[in-house]
Amino acid sequence: MKRIFIALFVVAAFLAVLPAFAQERPGVPVEPKITDPSPYYPFRLDVIRVFSHALGYRVVYRKGATEFAEIYIPTEWFKSGGKASLIVSDDPAFPSMTVFYKDGAFSHVRLYVKANRKDSTWGLLTDDGAAEKFKVTELKVAF
């Protein structure tokens, strides 16, 4: 009976050590191989509120830990192949915004918003002087 227990113990010990021999290079982490790196650098921002206007959207976002900043995105940018895209959903991670940079310069932006326009993250911009603020050629995001 003792011989059976000893034999089972030796087999169990061998099986426990077996995965250690399966490693290719112990102690060296596996490096992912990126075959085609993207030229774009995405930067995600937490959006506090989105105000809609006939000329575009005013987006108030979190700047740092305690400050807020705003940007104006013209409606013309939201056409097909434009500089902006609007993604509408009821995802709990919304609203947010991702600004894409290519070679250090602004490329395009994606604005993720709630589908329900009655949500507290939506607002209506009634500023009559907003026409000048929507005349932008690229976004200047404050970090």
Side-chain angles (χ1 to χ4, degrees):
M1 190 74 164
K2 280 183 165 182
R3 290 182 188 169
I4 293 175
F5 286 124
I6 292 173
L8 287 176
F9 178 74
V10 170
V11 169
F14 176 74
L15 291 176
V17 178
L18 191 60
F21 294 111
Q23 295 179 358
E24 292 180 21
R25 294 171 29 194
V28 177
V30 178
E31 296 179 12
K33 294 181 175 78
I34 300 174
T35 58
D36 189 21
S38 175
Y40 296 101
Y41 177 77
F43 191 79
R44 184 185 176 281
L45 297 166
D46 291 327
V47 172
I48 304 301
R49 200 140 189 223
V50 178
F51 295 91
S52 63
H53 189 269
L55 299 174
Y57 296 99
R58 174 183 168 229
V59 180
V60 179
Y61 62 94
R62 189 176 308 277
K63 174 185 163 186
T66 58
E67 297 180 40
F68 301 111
E70 64 182 23
I71 57 171
Y72 290 82
I73 305 174
T75 305
E76 296 86 33
W77 286 14
F78 290 96
K79 65 181 179 182
S80 179
K83 293 182 180 181
S85 58
L86 185 71
I87 293 95
V88 180
S89 177
D90 283 324
D91 192 315
F94 290 7
S96 67
M97 178 173 58
T98 305
V99 181
F100 292 88
Y101 294 95
K102 184 175 182 180
D103 298 327
F106 169 76
S107 174
H108 61 283
V109 63
R110 287 186 187 149
L111 182 60
Y112 301 91
V113 295
K114 294 275 190 182
N116 184 5
R117 292 278 180 143
K118 294 183 180 180
D119 191 73
S120 64
T121 59
W122 277 102
L124 186 61
L125 184 61
T126 58
D127 185 12
D128 293 334
E132 288 297 319
K133 295 177 182 176
F134 283 109
K135 292 181 181 176
V136 294
T137 56
E138 68 176 44
L139 291 183
K140 305 274 189 209
V141 179
F143 300 107

